[in-house]
Amino acid sequence: MLIVKKFGGSSVADKERIFNVANRCIEDYKAGNQVVVVLSAMGKTTDGLLAKAADINPNASKRELDMLLTTGEQVSVSLMAMAMGALGVPAVSLNAFQVKMHTTSVYGNSRLLRIDRERIEEELENNKIVIVTGFQGINKKDDYTTLGRGGSDTTAVALAAALHADACEIYTDVDGVYTSDPRIVPAAQKLKEITYDEMLEFASLGAKVLHNRSVEMAKRYGVPLIVRSSLNRNEGTIVKENANMEGMLVSGVAADKNTARISVIGVRNEPGIAFKVFKCLAMKNISVDIILQSIGREGTKDISFTVARTDMQEAVKALEEQKTSWGATEITYDDHVAKVSIVGAGMESNAGVAAKMFEALYNANVNIRMIGTAEIRITVLIDEDDVTRAMRAVHTAFGLDA
């Protein structure tokens, strides 16, 4: 078998954990498998590098930031190869340039285009464990690029797809995917399996178990994922096309505090205004989630929507520059809000799910400010201070505690 194993930064944070990961990989190697390992930077290395960059130049270019940040993974893969060598097992570390992991040219948030397999296959044929830097690639100029925070998951899935791996295992500091964040909802239960679509919704809603683009890629290429902990031997959660959820309407509850609400007040009630508002944001690469448009009155209407909190200031600035051309009287915003969502493939064919969620929030005295829906997701915007109470109430209402 060919196995791709990805380990996050907390799994290789120090010498003890590096040797723990080395031994786990060597077990599969000695069992007769070919092993490719993808690593993130050690511990909080990336945060430390960002802090150093900000100290030198708060407005550093994204190109130079990528040049800096890719050093973190190069440290972790080289140390891992040294650890395996110390344990008597041949291993080789490779960075994105040596593998040739080709990406788009967007610094800071590139997308993988293709992977040259020759070097990895050559090293595997030489009976070595291959250790690859996650999170990074090279563009057409041979500059280093990064795939966005959490991008090592995407590296692992891409390698598994390119190499036609038999398994892709994602190791983190949690032992699987839970029905909610156990730190917020103590009654949260680990799921044995979950569908790609459900996992993608969780990842997009702020759950930090898997990078959302890694789930998209796994679904596209049919790569089954296993999420498990590097710190224990517990069975993890399988992410695949079809999962047996034993009749569950809802598979989990997620929250996202990286949210802000923006309202464009008093725009003209005429065709094309909504297009112009959201084109203004699209030109700044700002994604919008929940959208609410009021019923027109006296020739005007209000448009409200949510963006990532980190994008709020840039969005407001862009809207302020254009508001008079739409007839808007003011732009209001609030970054003390959060999204709470339920996700479940069983929601598509069952009526009353939304009512059950809203009843749970009513009983918990949580006010709903906006509502958004998708095929397998219902999201509400609430006050940030109500998140814990809301998540626990909804989790209990759908029988996920047991």
Side-chain angles (χ1 to χ4, degrees), residues 44-58:
K44 299 293 183 180
T45 296
T46 301
D47 291 336
L49 291 172
L50 285 170
K52 288 180 180 180
D55 187 43
I56 296 293
N57 181 358

Side-chain angles (χ1 to χ4, degrees), residues 95-327:
N95 64 24
F97 188 82
Q98 292 165 314
V99 172
K100 296 293 186 185
M101 304 192 73
H102 303 275
T103 72
T104 58
S105 294
V106 180
Y107 299 107
N109 195 28
S110 281
R111 289 181 175 267
L112 283 166
L113 297 175
R114 71 180 191 280
I115 298 173
D116 295 344
R117 301 180 302 179
E118 291 79 3
R119 180 67 187 274
I120 294 178
E121 291 176 342
E122 177 186 334
E123 300 293 355
L124 290 172
E125 288 171 5
N126 289 330
N127 207 31
K128 294 179 182 178
I129 294 179
V130 179
I131 310 163
V132 181
T133 51
F135 172 63
Q136 61 186 253
I138 54 170
N139 64 18
K140 61 185 179 182
K141 296 180 181 179
D142 284 342
D143 284 348
Y144 282 106
T145 58
T146 61
L147 309 180
R149 296 302 290 265
S152 293
D153 294 342
T154 303
T155 303
V157 173
L159 282 169
L163 297 169
H164 306 291
D166 298 287
C168 184
E169 302 172 350
I170 308 292
Y171 291 82
T172 70
D173 52 2
V174 296
D175 57 358
V177 181
Y178 280 73
T179 51
S180 193
D181 187 337
R183 295 167 297 182
I184 299 175
V185 184
Q189 304 293 311
K190 185 171 69 178
L191 297 168
K192 291 182 179 179
E193 50 189 37
I194 188 171
T195 68
Y196 291 126
D197 289 336
E198 289 171 320
M199 190 66 244
L200 183 56
E201 291 287 359
F202 274 126
S204 301
L205 292 167
K208 297 178 180 178
V209 180
L210 286 173
H211 193 229
N212 60 342
R213 294 217 306 260
S214 73
V215 184
E216 289 176 355
M217 188 173 292
K219 177 179 172 62
R220 187 182 312 139
Y221 294 103
V223 178
L225 304 177
I226 303 174
V227 181
R228 54 167 57 113
S229 173
S230 63
L231 307 178
N232 60 50
R233 300 283 176 158
N234 295 343
E235 289 297 319
T237 300
I238 300 172
V239 186
K240 58 183 183 177
E241 185 63 46
N242 297 301
N244 177 20
M245 304 303 291
E246 299 178 354
M248 293 172 63
L249 289 180
V250 171
S251 57
V253 182
D256 183 6
K257 293 186 178 181
N258 181 26
T259 301
R261 178 200 56 78
I262 298 176
S263 295
V264 185
I265 307 298
V267 298
R268 292 191 299 275
N269 186 19
E270 61 184 45
I273 292 294
F275 159 69
K276 293 175 182 178
V277 170
F278 293 113
K279 182 182 178 182
C280 171
L281 299 174
M283 294 292 288
K284 300 291 184 180
N285 290 315
I286 296 172
S287 297
V288 174
D289 189 11
I290 306 174
I291 300 173
L292 177 65
Q293 180 174 289
S294 68
I295 298 174
R297 63 187 187 283
E298 298 180 356
T300 69
K301 58 188 175 185
D302 303 335
I303 301 175
S304 299
F305 50 88
T306 59
V307 299
R309 190 175 295 177
T310 48
D311 289 334
M312 184 185 76
Q313 293 297 337
E314 185 178 6
V316 170
K317 181 181 177 181
L319 294 167
E320 287 283 0
E321 292 172 352
Q322 299 287 329
K323 71 177 184 181
T324 54
S325 65
W326 311 321

